[in-house]
Amino acid sequence: MWAALQTLREVARAQARVDVRLKLAVFVRGSLSRQDMDPDTLWELLREQPFAAHLNRFRRGGETQWRLPPAGGSGRIWARRAGVDPAACVAFAGDGKHGRTAMSLQIADLGPAMGMERASHLIFEFPDDASNRQIAEVARWSLSHLPVLWGTAGWCFDVVEGSAYMAARHVVALARRCWAIQILEPAVLQWDALRGLPGVNWLTLVGDGFAAAHGIDPAALAGLAGAEVFVHRGRDATMLAAGAAPLRGDIHADESLAPLVTVAQALKPALLANCSPMYGQLADEDVMNAWLQRFIDPQAWLRVDVDG
């Protein structure tokens, strides 16, 4: 027995790395391919844009090796096999000036699963020093070229590595202080995005059909324009900017949340009241529901027990 006990080793403490990134996430109802927006079509549209000029490599699905994207119709990004590929996931990346990280893009073209419709998405990730103009430019491009269901842009949590349980604790702890950093989990939102918005951010994109389905008059959103909220009208969607720049919403730094509250109140009927469970504290309904409604009922977010 003693010999067996001597073989015991101390278990390393669980750790996780959580970063905060500037992102633009755009969700589309159903499969992109069924709306003539498959990854190849999107690439042909993107490669003409100055903001995407640096995207010089891509990889598919679970691939680990990057490859050069096709040029001028010389090949395909993804050849979907009918009835075999319910999802086409492609990532694009490149290098910015002086070797710094530049904008990257993930495209998930999701067909139905188990007979249920899903939401496809494009997620653009920007370097920390990206200008507000650059982010807004990509958002306006999305309004012009995509059948937008909804979208948001600003600071978002990014779980890089480590224990999911510890990652959730880090996210919740920082979210309690920085109210404007958004929790976006694509694996959950492939379903939940069809039901509503997981909160608002610096930029919030609202498709006309999505707004109408939640009892919101798309034309009435123009009335939000003022000193703190800016409105841009796209093809079949509206973009609302809560202030002139993305905020982390640090309540200890006296950052004003008023523009975000204004946008959230206007979109209240479309906000998710609950979401599918994630992991760790993010699977706690009381915590997540209070976070989702934090700009509507701030006291509930302040009261909820995040230490359990």
Side-chain angles (χ1 to χ4, degrees):
M1 174 67 74
W2 176 246
L5 289 174
Q6 286 183 311
T7 65
L8 293 177
R9 295 291 186 270
E10 184 178 349
V11 177
R13 184 184 296 273
Q15 296 181 339
R17 177 184 164 194
V18 177
D19 290 345
V20 177
R21 305 284 192 190
L22 283 170
K23 296 185 181 184
L24 163 64
V26 180
F27 284 81
V28 173
R29 178 178 294 278
S31 168
L32 288 165
S33 297
R34 293 186 179 181
Q35 301 173 72
D36 298 323
M37 283 289 164
D38 59 87
D40 284 278
T41 301
L42 288 169
W43 170 245
E44 288 303 312
L45 291 171
L46 280 165
R47 62 194 295 267
E48 302 296 330
Q49 304 303 312
F51 65 76
H54 70 278
L55 294 176
N56 55 21
R57 58 184 184 268
F58 81 99
R59 60 187 180 191
R60 307 178 180 118
E63 293 178 348
T64 58
Q65 298 296 317
W66 294 94
R67 63 182 76 193
L68 296 176
S74 61
R76 292 185 64 80
I77 297 290
W78 189 286
R80 186 188 292 273
R81 297 166 294 173
V84 179
D85 298 327
C89 299
V90 183
F92 294 89
D95 299 318
K97 296 179 180 179
H98 310 297
R100 292 184 299 180
T101 302
M103 187 188 78
S104 62
L105 167 63
Q106 293 182 0
I107 300 174
D109 180 6
L110 305 180
M114 298 178 288
M116 295 185 291
E117 186 178 43
R118 294 186 289 176
S120 298
H121 66 255
L122 286 80
I123 298 180
F124 299 85
E125 185 173 310
F126 302 87
D128 289 351
D129 60 354
S131 68
N132 306 335
R133 183 186 298 274
Q134 180 187 7
I135 301 171
E137 178 187 3
V138 180
R140 286 194 296 268
W141 178 88
S142 300
L143 288 181
S144 300
H145 293 85
L146 301 173
V148 173
L149 182 66
W150 61 261
T152 59
W155 293 106
C156 300
F157 289 106
D158 187 25
V159 178
V160 179
E161 61 185 1
S163 157
Y165 173 81
M166 291 304 298
R169 289 186 67 87
H170 291 330
V171 167
V172 170
L174 188 54
R176 188 66 164 258
R177 171 172 174 169
C178 298
W179 289 37
I181 304 177
Q182 197 166 20
I183 301 171
L184 288 176
E185 180 53 64
V188 168
L189 288 171
Q190 64 179 310
W191 310 106
D192 287 356
L194 300 175
R195 296 194 294 112
L197 266 167
V200 300
N201 208 320
W202 171 50
L203 301 181
T204 303
L205 286 57
V206 185
D208 290 352
F210 176 80
H214 290 87
I216 299 171
D217 181 1
L221 295 177
L224 293 177
E228 295 186 315
V229 177
F230 308 93
V231 179
H232 174 80
R233 179 65 190 166
R235 184 178 61 183
D236 296 304
T238 301
M239 180 170 73
L240 305 171
L247 294 177
R248 298 185 185 219
D250 188 342
I251 59 175
H252 293 180
D254 199 28
E255 292 184 333
S256 174
L257 300 176
L260 289 161
V261 171
T262 298
V263 173
Q265 290 287 353
L267 298 177
K268 181 179 178 180
L271 295 178
L272 286 170
N274 55 72
C275 67
S276 301
M278 286 185 268
Y279 43 84
Q281 287 179 308
L282 300 180
D284 186 316
E285 288 187 7
D286 291 338
V287 172
M288 280 306 301
N289 295 352
W291 179 83
L292 288 167
Q293 296 289 313
R294 66 199 182 284
F295 294 126
I296 304 299
D297 186 359
Q299 290 303 316
W301 178 229
L302 291 172
R303 286 194 309 266
V304 70
D305 180 10
V306 298
D307 298 318

